[in-house]
Amino acid sequence: PDGFSYETLEPGTDGTAPRDGPVKYAARIWLRFTGHVDGFDGPIFDSSAIRGKRKPSQKDYVEITAGLEPTFAPGMWEAVKLMKVGEKGRFVQPPALSFGEGKTVIEGDEDSQVKKIPAGSTLYYDVELLKIVRP
């Protein structure tokens, strides 16, 4: 999609089994991520570590269903479907792949540095695919 770009920082497994990836739609995955505004070094508006701090397990990753998770914008799905287990990457999410196609203000995580993200914002994510729980 226009404006979306993904870069592999560290390659994942070279295996070919379904649990190696790439991620298929509706797969259950473990994902570590950090979302930024104003560039990859910009303030954080959401992350798996922030979300994990509120849970008893204190995990720094989330378990999600790829392509179906309501708390993740379509840009996240565009990235994870390119990834293999163990891979670290980063991507630029244009407004069209954001919540509400970028036409509305987005709320940052309540415990993040950024509380509100203006409509039309480009977002920057660092991601790591830890595991495909269910292909």
Side-chain angles (χ1 to χ4, degrees):
D2 246 3
F4 175 85
S5 67
Y6 176 81
E7 175 187 9
T8 300
L9 300 176
E10 289 181 29
T13 181
D14 58 2
T16 57
R19 289 188 192 272
D20 293 330
V23 176
K24 303 281 188 231
Y25 185 78
R28 267 324 260 177
I29 62 172
W30 288 357
L31 185 71
R32 187 177 290 138
F33 75 94
T34 305
H36 304 266
V37 293
D38 302 328
F40 289 107
D41 295 323
I44 295 169
F45 70 89
D46 193 10
S47 77
S48 52
I50 291 171
R51 292 182 186 201
K53 283 181 184 176
R54 291 193 293 268
K55 296 187 177 180
S57 65
Q58 298 286 302
K59 291 185 171 97
D60 67 346
Y61 63 87
V62 292
E63 183 172 327
I64 64 169
T65 303
L68 295 172
E69 192 66 38
T71 63
F72 287 90
M76 184 67 78
W77 164 237
E78 292 295 325
V80 298
K81 72 182 182 182
L82 302 172
M83 299 179 75
K84 304 247 330 190
V85 169
E87 185 170 326
K88 292 181 181 181
R90 58 177 25 179
F91 69 95
V92 176
Q93 177 177 286
L97 290 176
S98 196
F99 296 101
E101 298 178 342
K103 296 175 183 167
T104 59
V105 171
I106 303 168
E107 300 286 326
D109 188 277
E110 62 191 51
D111 295 326
S112 72
Q113 299 166 325
V114 179
K115 304 303 181 205
K116 291 199 182 295
I117 302 157
S121 294
T122 297
L123 303 176
Y124 302 83
Y125 286 89
D126 292 296
V127 289
E128 180 181 5
L129 180 60
L130 301 174
K131 182 176 183 176
I132 297 176
V133 178
R134 186 190 72 228

